[in-house]
Amino acid sequence: QVQLQESGPGLVKPSQTLSLTCTVSGGSISSGSYYWSWIRQPAGKGLEWIGRIYTSGNTNYNPSLKSRVTISVDTSKNQFSLKLSSVTAADTAVYYCAVEWLVDEGFDYWGQGTLVTVSS
Amino acid sequence: EIVMTQSPATLSVSPGERATLSCRASQSVSSNVAWYQQKAGQAPRLLIYGASTRAAGVPDRFTGSGSGTEFTFTISSLQSEDLAVYYCQHFNNWPPIFTFGPGTKVDIK
């Protein structure tokens, strides 16, 4: 079965760019027709979908974050990535990568999540 | 923008009893609703998609129903391991966006 693992800096300074990578194992990111998403969760709060990238490279973003978000895919490394620019303390959260693998319009596989803190 | 609301915010249920959670959409969303379970310190787990279809490996004590604007998630006989926060989620086809409800915390009484 497919497995996802987030990686990246746990601390980012305000106004800088948050960069995270999700490494996929147990399946090829370039085969099939899948949507690969990023979702975040501030401590003690609910889930917020950030955006997704299709196998073909097409992207969809949450309108509330669209101006600051870029999601890309590196098929050679079986990874997809998130960049969030101009971060503030409000961007402090656990960031998850997830995939619509066997299910349409739902996330059936998730990474374990990685905490990113925005602080000087 | 479609807003998903959930009630109650917290639900205390005794082991073996039924737990009923509600999710309401601000406008009709057909059957495009999923339900997730999130235990403390863990990633969410997909339980239900398409409003009523159980994901692979999900026990049959978990049931989803509803369409339009009103959705219900039921745990028929609560087990101690069901202590978690449960989220509903909608996918809007255009513009493509996933929206989560604020969650219902299920406590064991």
Side-chain angles (χ1 to χ4, degrees), chain B:
Chain B
E1 177 188 349
I2 295 174
V3 177
M4 307 297 284
T5 57
Q6 292 186 244
S7 62
T10 303
L11 184 63
S12 294
V13 180
S14 298
E17 294 193 342
R18 178 184 298 265
T20 302
L21 288 62
S22 294
C23 176
R24 174 174 292 179
S26 59
Q27 58 186 277
S28 179
V29 295
S30 185
S31 297
N32 295 338
V33 168
W35 290 89
Y36 297 83
Q37 175 192 66
Q38 187 178 33
K39 297 182 178 180
Q42 296 184 16
R45 173 194 179 195
L46 177 68
L47 298 180
I48 301 287
Y49 63 95
S52 61
T53 302
R54 285 187 205 89
V58 174
D60 60 8
R61 67 178 183 274
F62 297 107
T63 302
S65 63
S67 65
T69 61
E70 301 285 343
F71 299 87
T72 301
F73 176 81
T74 303
I75 308 173
S76 61
S77 177
L78 192 78
Q79 309 295 306
S80 58
E81 63 262 32
D82 299 334
L83 168 68
V85 179
Y86 292 83
Y87 294 95
C88 63
Q89 168 245 297
H90 163 63
F91 175 73
N92 193 60
N93 286 312
W94 191 260
I97 181 170
F98 289 89
T99 305
F100 291 90
T104 292
K105 182 179 181 180
V106 174
D107 279 338
I108 308 299
K109 187 182 292 183

Side-chain angles (χ1 to χ4, degrees), chain A residues 35-51:
Chain A
Y35 285 101
W36 307 89
S37 280
W38 287 97
I39 296 158
R40 69 180 183 178
Q41 184 174 37
K45 296 187 178 181
L47 300 160
E48 180 179 36
W49 178 74
I50 299 169

